[in-house]
Amino acid sequence: MNPFPEPTEEESRLRRRKVFAFLYGSFIYIIGVWGILLYTVGFVGNFFGPIIDSRFGAVFPWKSIDMGTIEPFWIALSIDIGLLVILGLQHSGMARPTFKDWWTRLVPKHLERSTYIVVAIAALVLLQWQWRPIPTVIWHVEDPFWRQVLAWISFGGWLTVLWATILVGHWKIFGVDQVIDFLEDRPYTKLPQTTPEYYKVGWPVTIRGLWYNARHPDFLGFIIAFWVTPTMTIGHLLFAAGLTAYIMIGIYFLERNLINLWGSDYEEYVKTRSKIIPWFVRRVPGSER
């Protein structure tokens, strides 16, 4: 008797799907998430200046928010606004429940999040590739010490985003858990059931820390990263203001959807937590949290 029987056609097909899922999910997380996000940190913080001016500048099309092809003001403004609108429409459109229902009919559930990240990265890459600097300076800090302080505060904003995702399921947010569940033949679940703790309002709440004291601390990190800079130009201001406006609008629609989904439980949660800045939990009559 053959101790290693030939797999059936169905088993072979499943193996191929698992190999593809592993390679696809790994590539998106390692190259897409970390590669593009690290590039975005440099893009927003204008950290590529020394590289652009060196011999390595010709190896890769490095760009920063204030470095690149200078166009007439109104042309640059129109292009940049259009890029911000595309980025916002991609994120908000794909986050709508109706779109998700349609989307998961086309994309396997275990690859849905990774594929969403692919599209999000494409919109972000388009913005960085086609962004037109508007270099008119609004403020500029000359002192080297304070320039370093502001740069580190901005970098701290990015670390806040990373830490916030780690606290509430970093691997699931970026699609890794879904792929691992598929590889190990575990049923797909949208939310972890134990750690981090999820209240019945359907939103992540850690026992203590950022998510316990604010509803959207990850967005606070983005806002810090966008706005804290030693040199603020009109182009940088447009970028920061546009994405901050999108964040606030996105929070409004997100929370409206969650209230429709979870009702009074989520309304109570909104009343007791700050929106983006971690703060003391407010107590309301009859609240259990």
Side-chain angles (χ1 to χ4, degrees):
M1 179 180 293
N2 185 359
F4 303 104
E6 288 293 324
T8 65
E9 180 61 29
E10 183 177 348
E11 290 173 336
S12 297
R13 189 182 304 112
L14 180 60
R15 288 180 183 178
R16 290 194 295 269
R17 291 179 63 200
K18 287 186 175 182
V19 170
F20 175 79
F22 172 77
L23 295 176
Y24 182 76
S26 300
F27 180 83
I28 297 306
Y29 179 74
I30 296 171
I31 304 299
V33 174
W34 282 104
I36 299 302
L37 288 185
L38 287 174
Y39 186 89
T40 301
V41 173
F43 175 83
V44 175
N46 287 306
F47 296 143
F48 295 139
I51 299 177
I52 293 173
D53 296 334
S54 72
R55 60 182 179 178
F56 298 104
V59 177
F60 185 82
W62 306 95
K63 288 191 67 175
S64 290
I65 200 167
D66 293 322
M67 300 177 186
T69 304
I70 305 298
E71 302 277 6
F73 175 80
W74 290 110
I75 294 177
L77 183 67
S78 300
I79 292 173
D80 292 346
I81 290 175
L83 293 169
L84 289 169
V85 169
I86 290 172
L87 184 67
L89 289 176
Q90 180 274 316
H91 279 74
S92 58
M94 293 188 72
R96 304 294 292 174
T98 51
F99 181 88
K100 287 184 176 181
D101 291 340
W102 172 79
W103 180 245
T104 50
R105 297 174 192 168
L106 303 177
V107 179
K109 288 184 177 180
H110 59 279
L111 297 180
E112 182 269 332
R113 188 65 186 176
S114 295
T115 306
Y116 169 85
I117 291 171
V118 170
V119 181
I121 286 173
L124 184 59
V125 168
L126 175 65
L127 181 144
Q128 294 170 349
W129 173 40
Q130 291 298 320
W131 184 262
R132 300 299 194 269
I134 306 177
T136 303
V137 175
I138 298 174
W139 74 66
H140 177 75
V141 177
E142 293 282 356
D143 188 283
F145 172 78
W146 288 109
R147 289 186 65 84
Q148 288 293 322
V149 168
L150 293 173
W152 278 107
I153 292 174
S154 178
F155 186 69
W158 295 110
L159 292 179
T160 301
V161 175
L162 176 61
W163 181 241
T165 66
I166 290 173
L167 288 175
V168 293
H170 175 86
W171 305 112
K172 190 169 289 288
I173 290 172
F174 294 109
V176 177
D177 273 355
Q178 292 87 327
V179 171
I180 293 176
D181 286 345
F182 177 68
L183 296 180
E184 298 185 353
D185 298 315
R186 290 199 298 261
Y188 171 78
T189 57
K190 286 190 175 181
L191 299 176
Q193 301 300 313
T194 54
T195 304
E197 178 185 352
Y198 275 73
Y199 284 133
K200 60 181 178 179
V201 297
W203 196 246
V205 183
T206 49
I207 296 174
R208 62 181 65 85
L210 295 178
W211 290 90
Y212 182 77
N213 296 94
R215 307 195 300 274
H216 308 281
D218 50 338
F219 290 147
L220 172 64
F222 281 119
I223 291 172
I224 292 173
F226 296 157
W227 284 96
V228 179
T229 175
T231 301
M232 177 64 78
T233 62
I234 289 180
H236 194 144
L237 178 66
L238 175 64
F239 179 90
L243 290 186
T244 301
Y246 165 72
I247 285 173
M248 294 305 173
I249 294 171
I251 288 175
Y252 170 78
F253 285 105
L254 171 63
E255 294 195 333
R256 191 175 70 173
N257 289 338
L258 290 171
I259 288 173
N260 291 336
L261 181 63
W262 299 99
S264 59
D265 288 322
Y266 192 81
E267 286 185 303
E268 180 182 326
Y269 176 67
V270 170
K271 292 176 182 177
T272 57
R273 263 70 177 189
S274 169
K275 182 177 292 185
I276 62 172
I277 300 176
W279 196 246
F280 297 106
V281 176
R282 296 185 294 271
R283 300 298 177 184
V284 296
S287 173
E288 298 178 359
R289 305 183 184 95

